[in-house]
Amino acid sequence: QSALTQEASVSGTVGQKVTLSCTGSSNNIGSYAVGWYQQISHGAPKTVMFGNSLPSGIPDRFSGSKSGNTASLTISGLQPEDEADYYCSTWDYRLSGQVFGGGTKLTVL
Amino acid sequence: EMQLVESGGAVVQPGGSLRLSCAASGFSFDDYAMHWVRQAPGKGLEWISVISWDGGRTYYADSVKGRFSVSRDNSKNSLYLQMNSLRLEDTAFYYCAKTTVGGYSDVSDIWGQGTMVTVSS
């Protein structure tokens, strides 16, 4: 059981806008910035968003937001290369450790 | 270019020990806390440990507390993970990751390519 809850799977067509969610609590998402990581075919994770910041080299169709204890990653204009597993994470002050969501498998139809 | 390269993964018997290394380049290593994260085959990402920029603060997941120890040598731009009393369930790819702003509670922006640890008899 992950401390952060993500959809198991999400799908969309090329060009569509999709939103992935990550729900936690006031101990974690409500208090700290959230990171989003893309993992393609079980390769090394790549950060696609941290807080509201887009890492260098990540296309601006990726955006992030947070409301209360839920963070969201939105991909506007979905591309075939966006098909991957996406994980969210943040710090949890009660656990004194970083927590991850279980991951969302994004399929581009 | 900021880069992290892990090494030291191997096949080890249950109860054995292993030391992983992570070599950093392209950024001021001693300005940043560093995480270790692992991924068992077919599973999701699991946070293991974090060490502050100066090594003064360390935190561990309950699953490895008392068995794993994180350290760093800022003069060598290197991060380490000493793994003792290894169990079958420690089998995973192990990644080191740089924190975004530098604090131990920050998320990660740069990841290594990972090193595989297999615990098997």
Side-chain angles (χ1 to χ4, degrees), chain A residues 27-93:
Chain A
N27 307 328
N28 41 65
I29 290 180
S31 299
Y32 297 93
V34 175
W36 288 92
Y37 316 102
Q38 178 192 65
Q39 191 175 39
I40 297 174
S41 301
H42 294 286
K46 179 168 71 172
T47 301
V48 294
M49 184 67 56
F50 55 90
N52 294 324
S53 300
L54 201 61
S56 174
I58 302 301
D60 61 7
R61 63 177 180 272
F62 288 85
S63 63
S65 64
K66 186 170 73 170
S67 177
N69 299 331
T70 297
S72 300
L73 177 72
T74 297
I75 308 173
S76 304
L78 199 60
Q79 297 298 307
E81 59 265 30
D82 298 333
E83 184 164 290
D85 293 324
Y86 290 84
Y87 295 88
C88 60
S89 82
T90 190
W91 188 259
D92 187 300
Y93 65 75

Side-chain angles (χ1 to χ4, degrees), chain A residues 37 39 44-45 47 87 91 97-98, chain B residues 35 39 44 104-105 107-108 111-112:
Chain A
Y37 316 102
Q39 191 175 39
T47 301
Y87 295 88
W91 188 259
Q98 187 169 138
Chain B
H35 291 286
Q39 185 173 37
Y104 62 83
S105 62
V107 293
S108 303
W111 296 73

Side-chain angles (χ1 to χ4, degrees), chain B residues 47-70:
Chain B
W47 175 81
I48 293 300
S49 180
V50 65
I51 184 168
S52 61
W53 65 273
D54 62 351
R57 301 187 83 155
T58 58
Y59 296 91
Y60 300 91
D62 287 344
S63 58
V64 305
K65 201 172 293 183
R67 300 187 299 123
F68 289 13
S69 176
V70 61

Side-chain angles (χ1 to χ4, degrees), chain B residues 99-110:
Chain B
T99 53
T100 52
V101 183
Y104 62 83
S105 62
D106 294 330
V107 293
S108 303
D109 57 356
I110 303 298

Side-chain angles (χ1 to χ4, degrees), chain B residues 2 24-33 53 72 74 77 98:
Chain B
M2 291 182 280
S25 60
F27 63 97
S28 297
F29 180 70
D30 55 6
D31 280 345
Y32 295 90
W53 65 273
R72 63 191 297 160
N74 287 344
N77 289 343
K98 166 188 165 294

